Amino acid sequence: MNTEYLKITGEHYNDAEVIDRAARVIQNGGLVAIPTETVYGLAGSALIPTSAEKIFSAKGRPADNPLIVHIAKPEEAETLAYTCDAYYKLAERFMPGPLTMILPKKGIVPDEVTAGLDSVAIRCPSNDIAHKLIEASGHPIAAPSANRSGIPSPTKAEHVLTDMDGRIDMIIDGGECDIGLESTVIKLTDDGCVILRPGAVTEEMLAEVCDVVTVAKAVIEPSVAAEERVESPGMKYKHYSPKADVILVDANMTDFVAYVNANSDNKCGVFSSNEYRTHFTSAATLITGEHPSARDESKSLFHLLRKADEMGLERVYIKLPEAKGEYLALYNRLIRASGGKIVKPE
Ligand code: AMP
Ligand code: MG
């Protein structure tokens, strides 16, 4: 298959024309990779069963891992799912944005989208291109991250091209994703919600709207056994992993530097702020920012994991962040990317 690569701000196409062409691909059952505020998504109609099948096959995604359905406005969930007051209360505060809510599904949503579950994941993206495409296509859009399954998610169109060239109909290049980590996924409960996957909408932010917010155990478990039943199927897979081994080091900065220097050769890399780059004597530094905030580290994570592979590194050291607040999402992706490998220097 020939994959068309279109830049939304390029010289040759104005925005409306690109959106229009992409909308026709979606309506005809094809796949388009699109930017969202979280990561690039692999978009297909959520109403056409064969579109969902194509998404699974292009990604090599395990068949039991359901897709998130993207809508343009919160009330569009009505045709797809059974909503409730809590949904609208959360939607008012967090939609459009990086929050996905699991709701009981209606019959119109094909089983191919929900992997046979009786619930459906609903999100309303804030990215302008994603938003316009949903509106122009007139379809709700199923869109997982636009990477081959198991490897780091794409945060730039070049990443998508590397993974999906020849496998999908079109890629829209809309620049780098703002957030760089996938959406927060929650399940509603009688008195609040449970976080199934942490993201930029944090536990603390949800607590401003919900009485009780809890975090599912699997979110911070270094490894989830394949046979274990988890509420969100995506939580049990090795995920976000580059070819290089990711080694998380649970230490303060001084001990981290000492550990990396004692255990590195020229095939090793280390995630570092610009400020600390000169402290590392042999590992190649992958720079997360000048004085990186949680947001900066989140935004650069997947790009740097991919870069580690481009550099041919065999091992990458990363200082383990705290499993709370704005760092919880980063912590969750890191323990998945590392396959649970955490070292604690003496
Ligand atoms: P991705 O599309 O790759 O960002 O992953 C979507 C995430 O949402 C995965 O962790 C899925 O398991 C989760 N998810 C999607 N639909 C449902 C659902 N109906 N119930 C529980 N989790 C879901
Ligand atoms: Mg994904």
Side-chain angles (χ1 to χ4, degrees):
M1 181 191 290
N2 211 0
T3 301
E4 212 177 347
Y5 185 99
L6 303 175
K7 244 190 163 91
I8 202 87
T9 51
E11 289 166 21
H12 305 296
Y13 301 101
N14 65 41
D15 294 8
E17 199 180 307
V18 172
I19 297 288
D20 209 51
R21 286 172 62 183
R24 281 201 298 275
V25 172
I26 299 285
Q27 290 162 349
N28 292 330
L31 303 185
V32 183
I34 55 166
T36 81
E37 69 276 23
T38 57
V39 299
Y40 271 77
L42 183 53
S45 169
L47 300 178
I48 304 176
T50 50
S51 294
E53 285 168 3
K54 285 183 193 170
I55 290 175
F56 280 90
S57 121
K59 280 182 63 79
R61 183 172 174 103
D64 69 345
N65 193 5
L67 307 176
I68 294 175
V69 177
H70 296 72
I71 54 179
K73 294 193 189 75
E75 51 279 20
E76 289 171 14
E78 292 302 333
T79 55
L80 307 166
Y82 295 95
T83 62
C84 54
D85 289 349
Y87 167 79
Y88 282 105
K89 231 170 113 188
L90 284 156
E92 202 182 326
R93 170 82 162 80
F94 299 112
M95 285 185 171
L99 180 69
T100 299
M101 286 189 251
I102 311 287
L103 298 171
K105 92 174 183 86
K106 289 189 175 169
I108 194 175
V109 184
D111 282 342
E112 285 80 356
V113 169
T114 61
L117 295 179
D118 53 11
S119 57
V120 59
I122 300 284
R123 177 163 116 75
C124 184
S126 63
N127 177 285
D128 203 35
I129 296 172
H131 185 88
K132 282 187 181 143
L133 179 61
I134 300 167
E135 284 196 322
S137 71
H139 286 234
I141 283 182
S145 49
N147 52 288
R148 294 278 293 161
S149 205
I151 70 173
S153 301
T155 55
K156 301 182 182 204
E158 302 91 276
H159 303 158
V160 183
L161 195 61
T162 304
D163 286 15
M164 292 295 164
D165 196 18
R167 296 180 162 272
I168 62 176
D169 299 285
M170 188 183 281
I171 297 171
I172 299 180
D173 182 349
E176 188 177 1
C177 298
D178 279 345
I179 296 172
L181 296 182
E182 300 81 353
S183 61
T184 305
V185 178
I186 61 168
K187 191 183 78 172
L188 304 178
T189 57
D190 289 342
D191 51 4
C193 67
V194 183
I195 297 177
L196 303 179
R197 179 177 71 185
V201 173
T202 62
E203 187 179 353
E204 293 73 14
M205 289 159 72
L206 290 164
E208 290 167 19
V209 179
C210 297
D211 288 338
V212 180
V213 182
T214 53
V215 179
K217 208 169 95 239
V219 164
I220 52 166
E221 265 180 6
S223 58
V224 181
E227 64 282 5
E228 201 171 313
R229 199 195 156 277
V230 291
E231 286 182 280
S232 182
M235 291 198 295
K236 72 183 175 200
Y237 295 107
K238 184 160 188 237
H239 239 135
Y240 323 117
S241 302
K243 291 194 197 81
D245 268 349
V246 174
I247 297 162
L248 303 177
V249 184
D250 185 5
N252 63 33
M253 200 58 202
T254 311
D255 293 347
F256 176 63
V257 171
Y259 181 84
V260 172
N261 286 340
N263 290 279
S264 294
D265 55 36
N266 62 1
K267 288 286 176 198
C268 292
V270 59
F271 276 34
S272 168
S273 66
N274 201 31
E275 191 191 357
Y276 269 89
R277 75 187 309 161
T278 53
H279 289 63
F280 297 101
T281 50
S282 47
T285 48
L286 294 144
I287 303 301
T288 51
E290 192 60 39
H291 300 285
S293 62
R295 284 195 72 118
D296 298 330
E297 290 187 27
S298 300
K299 187 168 175 168
S300 62
L301 173 70
F302 290 139
H303 172 64
L304 293 182
L305 290 178
R306 283 176 178 258
K307 199 167 160 194
D309 282 347
E310 281 164 28
M311 291 163 72
L313 300 174
E314 288 172 0
R315 231 176 312 146
V316 179
Y317 295 105
I318 304 176
K319 186 174 173 303
L320 187 69
E322 292 182 302
K324 62 179 191 191
E326 283 190 286
Y327 286 98
L328 182 64
L330 191 61
Y331 180 96
N332 167 264
R333 303 313 189 273
L334 285 171
I335 57 174
R336 291 283 166 273
S338 71
K341 276 189 280 320
I342 301 177
V343 297
K344 207 172 158 72
E346 290 301 302

